[in-house]
Amino acid sequence: QLQTFETLDRKQIPSMADDFGWCTWDAFYSDVTPEGVVDGVTKLREAGIQPRTVIIDDGWQDVTPLKVKHQQSTLAKITNGGGNKNPVTSSIRSFFKRSIVALIGSFLSFASKVIAAYYDRIVKNAKYDSIPNRIWRKLSSTVLKGELYNYFENETDFARQLNGFLPNVKFRGFEVQKSSNDAEKQSTNESAFGRTAEDIGEVESNNGLRNLVSTLKNDLGVKRVLCWHALHGYWRGVSPFLANTITHQPVGNVMLDRNTSSTPPINTERSAVSPSDSIPEHS
C-alpha cells in the first residue's frame, strides 16, 4: 500500500551478500569495545581472511542502568557487626563468623554450580513439560525466584533501556592516530568554518564511532560498517529520560508489577514455549 518495499521474491540480492562479513556478537557480546573491533579485524586479516562487512552488534549504545556486580553478599555483611570491646571475645566471635561465612559461602558456591550444570546439561535440552522442565519451573518459581530476578536485573541486558542516541562512553572516546600533516590540515579546515578550539574538542569527543568506522575502512580494508539497533530502542525500550527528551512530556517508567527497580515481571514458570503457543510457519 505504501509502495516502500518489495517482497522477497522481487528483491535484488545486495552486493554485500558476496562478501565475507564479521559480526562482533559471538566474540564480545555486549562488552564490545572499539579496540576489540579493530583487533578482531586485524587478526582476521593476519590469518588471510579479509572482512568486507563488519557488524558492530549490541554494546555500543548508551543504555541504562549499567551492569552492577555485587561485590559484597548479604552473608558477608554479618562480619561488620560486633561492638564487644573485649579483644579475646571479639576475636573468637570474629573467627566463628568468618568460619560460618566461609562454610556457607562454599556450600552456596557448590550448590550454584550444581544448579547451573543441571540447567545447562539437562533443562536446556529437555522437552516442554518433561520432568526436568517441571522441576526447573518449580525451582525458578520458589527458592530460585529471588536470585533469578537479581541475576536478570544486574547481570544481563534484558532490564536495560536506551538512554540516548549517541554512542556510549566506550565508543565516544576512540581516537584515530593522525600524522602531523593530517592534524594541520584538519586544523586549517576547522578554522575556515570559524569553529573555536572548544567547539572542535566537544565534537571530537563524540566522534569515536566515526573514527572507528574511518579506521576500519581506510586502514583495514572494510567496505561497510553496520550497527545493531533494536527497533524499539533497546531490549526494554527507551528510558523515561529519553522519552521525556523526545516528547517533552513527563513519561512514567511503565511497570507491570513491582519486582525490581528496572525489571518487569518475569514469568518464571515457563522455561519453554508451549506447542500450542508456537508461531505459525507462514504468518
Side-chain angles (χ1 to χ4, degrees):
Q1 188 177 16
L2 297 177
Q3 301 297 316
T4 55
F5 69 93
E6 297 285 350
T7 55
L8 184 61
D9 60 319
R10 299 177 61 183
K11 286 183 178 180
Q12 183 177 0
I13 299 177
S15 60
M16 64 179 290
D18 297 324
D19 293 331
F20 173 75
W22 177 60
C23 177
T24 62
W25 178 250
D26 285 333
F28 302 103
Y29 298 114
S30 59
D31 295 324
V32 63
T33 63
E35 294 78 11
V37 176
V38 171
D39 184 60
V41 174
T42 300
K43 288 182 177 178
L44 285 171
R45 285 165 52 90
E46 291 174 352
I49 305 173
Q50 172 64 66
R52 295 300 182 185
T53 301
V54 171
I55 302 175
I56 302 176
D57 211 304
D58 191 356
W60 67 271
Q61 295 171 284
D62 181 12
V63 299
T64 187
L66 299 177
K67 290 183 180 180
V68 178
K69 293 185 179 292
H70 295 290
Q71 300 296 330
Q72 184 178 32
S73 67
T74 304
L75 291 174
K77 292 180 181 179
I78 66 174
T79 60
N80 297 327
N84 191 317
K85 297 182 180 181
N86 187 317
V88 177
T89 306
S90 178
S91 297
I92 294 174
R93 289 187 176 182
S94 177
F95 169 77
F96 278 108
K97 286 178 180 178
R98 290 197 303 269
S99 301
I100 293 173
V101 169
L103 182 61
I104 295 177
S106 299
F107 173 76
L108 292 178
S109 176
F110 174 76
S112 64
K113 291 179 180 179
V114 171
I115 293 173
Y118 172 73
Y119 179 80
D120 287 333
R121 298 179 183 180
I122 300 177
V123 178
K124 286 176 66 175
N125 299 320
K127 295 182 179 180
Y128 176 78
D129 215 26
S130 62
I131 293 179
N133 186 274
R134 292 180 184 181
I135 293 175
W136 179 257
R137 284 157 56 186
K138 186 65 176 179
L139 290 174
S140 62
S141 61
T142 54
V143 295
L144 297 180
K145 187 173 183 178
E147 289 303 319
L148 287 175
Y149 277 133
N150 289 335
Y151 173 77
F152 280 102
E153 170 77 2
N154 298 313
E155 304 299 335
T156 73
D157 295 307
F158 301 115
R160 280 165 247 300
Q161 300 170 312
L162 186 69
N163 202 46
F165 293 110
L166 290 175
N168 58 35
V169 293
K170 295 184 298 183
F171 284 82
R172 291 183 194 175
F174 183 75
E175 297 181 358
V176 179
Q177 298 296 328
K178 300 176 182 178
S179 65
S180 58
N181 292 335
D182 291 337
E184 182 178 355
K185 181 178 179 181
Q186 180 179 1
S187 177
T188 302
N189 292 338
E190 299 289 1
S191 299
F193 285 97
R195 298 170 66 191
T196 65
E198 290 76 10
D199 294 335
I200 296 172
E202 181 178 354
V203 173
E204 286 297 322
S205 66
N206 290 328
N207 274 351
L209 186 58
R210 177 186 294 178
N211 294 337
L212 173 60
V213 173
S214 297
T215 298
L216 294 174
K217 289 185 175 181
N218 298 335
D219 302 335
L220 298 176
V222 176
K223 291 181 180 179
R224 59 191 71 83
V225 180
L226 311 177
C227 289
W228 175 90
H229 199 304
L231 186 63
H232 57 288
Y234 200 62
W235 290 107
R236 203 176 149 251
V238 300
S239 69
F241 169 79
L242 181 58
N244 294 341
T245 303
I246 297 173
T247 63
H248 302 288
Q249 296 177 358
V251 178
N253 193 5
V254 179
M255 302 288 289
L256 300 179
D257 196 358
R258 181 70 182 97
N259 286 288
T260 59
S261 59
S262 61
T263 309
I266 303 171
N267 186 351
T268 56
E269 296 182 358
R270 297 191 61 180
S271 57
V273 177
S274 169
S276 61
D277 294 339
S278 59
I279 302 176
E281 183 176 354
H282 301 288
S283 58

